[in-house]
Amino acid sequence: MSWRPLLPDDLAARALADAEEIAAEIAADLGRALTSATDRPEPLPLNRTRFALAGGLAGQALFFAYLDRARPDQGYDETAVELIELAFDDLINADATPGLYSGFAGAAWVVEHLRGGLIDAEGEDSGAEIATHLSRLLDVSPWPLGYDLVSGLAGIGAYAVERLPRLLGRECLERTVACLSECAERSPQGVAWWTSPEKMSVLARETNPAGLYDLGVAHGIPGVIALLGQAIARGVAAEEARPLLHAAVSWLLAHQNPSGSLSRFPAQIVPGGEERPSRVAWCYGDLGIAAALLVAARGAGELDWERTAIELARSTAALPDADSGVADAGLCHGAAGNGHLFNRLFQTTGDPIFGSAARSWFERALAMKRSGEGIGGFPALVPNARLERVWHADPSFLTGAAGVGLALLAAATNIEPAWDRVLLISG
C-alpha cells in the first residue's frame, strides 16, 4: 500500500507541530522523572502499569519511533530506545499479566514491531524469552483468562502475528486459535464468546453483575473476528480459524439493533436486558466494528463481509457530530482516533466519503487543543479512583497524547502507520 498524506498543507504543518510539541512535553516529563528520587515517571490514573503499551512507556516509545521517521536526526530515536529500556526495567520488577494492553505481551509487541530498526539491528532476538513464556501459557487448558484484545487471547494472538515469522510466532498464533475455539460458545446463531463477571472491569461488573456478550473491538467479539481474519491471511491455523470466523461473523450480524437506532450495533448484549446504542469510536461502536470486519473480510477473501463493513462505515460517517459521544482527542474513543480509523478506511478502499470524514474528525481534534493543559495541549478525560471522569495530563498511547501524536503523524505524512495493527484495524 502507498500511504498518502490526508491533510492539506496548512493542517498537515499544524499537525506535525502539535506532534512535536507533544513529544517535547513527554520528553521533558521523562527527564524530570529520571532526575528525581524515584527515578521513574509517576503512575498514571487508576494505577496503570508503567511499562505497558496502553498507558505506559512502551506506547510512548512507539510514538517516538514514528516521529523519528517523520523528523529524523532530532534525537527522537534515542528517546524511543530509552523508553523501551525503561519499560523493560519496570517489567522485570513487575508482577505482570500477559495482556496486550497492560501486560507484558504489549511491551513485547512494540519490540517486535520496531525490530530491525531501533531494536535488534544486529540480529539478536530480545523477544525470545517472552515468546517462550506465552507459548507455555497457551498450553494451559481450559484457558484461565479472558478472550479479548486488551487483556486476553485476541491480544496474545495480535502479538503472535507481529512476531511472525520468528521463533514461536506461528506456534503462539496456532495455540491462540485453538484456545479461542475451545472457549467459544456455539449456538444456532453462530459462535460467540461470553464475558463472565470475574473477567470484567469493576465498573462493568457493577452494571452487569451476571456477565454479558461484548461487542466492542477492545474487549469483545469484533476483536476476535479481526484476529481470526489475520491468522487466515497469514496461512496460520486457517483450517480451524476459517469456520470459527464464519460462525462468529454470523453471530455478530445477527445481533444488530432495530432499524432506526442511533447505532447499528449495541455496545454489549445482556441477556434479558435492553440493547443500547454505542458511540462512534474504536473501542465500542460501529466504526470500530466496521474496521475490524473489513480486516477479517480481506484476510478471509469474503466480499460480502467487505461490502457490509464499508456500508456500515459509510453510515457511521453520515452521523452528526452531536450523536458521536466524543469528548476528547484520544485514540480509543476520541476525535483523533475516529479520524485515524476513517483515514485507514480511506487509504484501504479509496472511498472519498471516508477521506472527507477523516479530515473532518482531524479538524475537530486539532480544534480541541487547549494550550497549557494536558500534554501538548491535549488533556484526556479519564476515570479517577472514584471512577469519575476528570481531565488529566495523560501521555499514553491509548487514551492520551502519544496516541493523538501518532494519529496526527499518519494524517500529515506519507509514512504508513503500521502501528495500528495493534488496534486490529489493518492487516
Side-chain angles (χ1 to χ4, degrees):
M1 172 187 290
S2 178
W3 190 267
R4 295 166 288 167
L6 172 82
L7 298 176
D9 290 346
D10 58 335
L11 287 182
R14 182 177 168 188
L16 286 170
D18 284 350
E20 291 194 279
E21 185 177 343
I22 289 168
E25 294 199 17
I26 292 176
D29 286 348
L30 178 64
R32 284 191 291 270
L34 292 178
T35 56
S36 71
T38 61
D39 201 40
R40 286 294 184 273
E42 290 298 316
L44 291 174
L46 290 182
N47 298 315
R48 296 182 194 173
T49 313
R50 287 184 297 192
F51 65 80
L53 168 66
L57 301 168
Q60 294 167 45
L62 196 60
F63 166 53
F64 277 90
Y66 272 83
L67 185 56
D68 177 64
R69 298 177 189 180
R71 289 285 190 264
D73 304 320
Q74 302 296 314
Y76 295 127
D77 54 343
E78 297 172 4
T79 304
V81 171
E82 184 176 25
L83 285 162
I84 284 289
E85 290 174 348
L86 286 171
F88 274 84
D89 285 347
D90 275 339
L91 176 56
I92 289 169
N93 298 312
D95 183 17
T97 65
L100 184 66
Y101 277 76
S102 59
F104 57 80
W109 187 97
V110 174
V111 168
E112 299 299 337
H113 187 69
L114 299 180
R115 187 183 301 283
L118 302 179
I119 297 174
D120 292 351
E122 298 180 359
E124 298 178 5
D125 188 359
S126 57
E129 184 177 350
I130 286 180
T132 300
H133 185 63
L134 284 171
S135 178
R136 291 172 179 165
L137 181 64
L138 289 163
D139 274 339
V140 176
S141 180
W143 175 252
L145 305 175
Y147 71 87
D148 67 317
L149 173 63
V150 165
S151 60
L153 284 168
I156 294 174
Y159 157 79
V161 168
E162 205 65 24
R163 174 80 180 168
L164 292 172
R166 298 179 74 85
L167 177 69
L168 295 177
R170 173 176 284 271
E171 291 86 344
C172 284
L173 188 51
E174 288 174 342
R175 291 174 188 176
T176 297
V177 172
C179 287
L180 284 168
S181 181
E182 181 183 49
C183 65
E185 180 182 284
R186 292 166 171 83
S187 72
Q189 291 179 311
V191 162
W193 288 265
W194 175 254
T195 303
S196 56
E198 64 272 14
K199 294 182 175 68
M200 295 161 57
S201 68
V202 174
L203 181 60
R205 189 162 57 245
E206 288 179 355
T207 308
N208 303 289
L212 49 79
Y213 296 102
D214 197 300
L215 271 69
V217 175
H219 295 286
I221 293 163
V224 176
I225 285 172
L227 186 276
L228 292 171
Q230 289 194 347
I232 294 167
R234 287 160 176 77
V236 179
E239 291 186 1
E240 188 168 14
R242 189 175 292 277
L244 196 62
L245 174 60
H246 274 262
V249 172
S250 294
W251 187 95
L252 176 69
L253 297 181
H255 287 84
Q256 300 182 49
N257 281 325
S259 177
S261 296
L262 190 60
S263 65
R264 186 81 57 86
F265 289 92
Q268 300 156 339
I269 294 175
V270 181
E274 180 183 356
E275 296 180 8
R276 298 178 180 177
S278 54
R279 58 189 169 188
V280 179
W282 166 75
C283 54
Y284 285 96
D286 292 350
L287 181 56
I289 291 173
L293 183 58
L294 184 60
V295 167
R298 294 206 162 183
E302 294 289 340
L303 292 179
D304 285 345
W305 298 351
E306 182 168 339
R307 284 189 285 267
T308 298
I310 290 172
E311 190 275 327
L312 177 61
R314 284 175 176 163
S315 69
T316 308
L319 282 175
D321 286 353
D323 294 333
S324 67
V326 170
D328 61 7
L331 278 181
C332 184
H333 45 260
N338 288 348
H340 183 72
L341 263 69
F342 277 119
N343 192 12
R344 173 56 77 176
L345 289 164
F346 171 59
Q347 305 278 350
T348 301
T349 67
D351 191 328
I353 290 174
F354 300 145
S356 177
R359 281 185 285 271
S360 176
W361 276 109
F362 276 114
E363 288 173 3
R364 185 171 174 185
L366 290 168
M368 287 178 171
K369 183 175 180 178
R370 294 150 59 172
S371 295
E373 298 183 36
I375 303 292
F378 292 97
L381 268 178
V382 295
N384 62 16
R386 295 184 298 277
L387 300 179
E388 301 164 335
R389 296 178 76 201
V390 296
W391 290 103
H392 183 80
D394 182 357
S396 75
F397 166 77
L398 191 59
T399 60
V404 173
L406 279 165
L408 293 176
L409 290 174
T413 72
N414 62 358
I415 299 168
E416 182 175 4
W419 56 264
D420 65 10
R421 285 197 294 265
V422 81
L423 301 173
L424 293 183
I425 64 168
S426 62

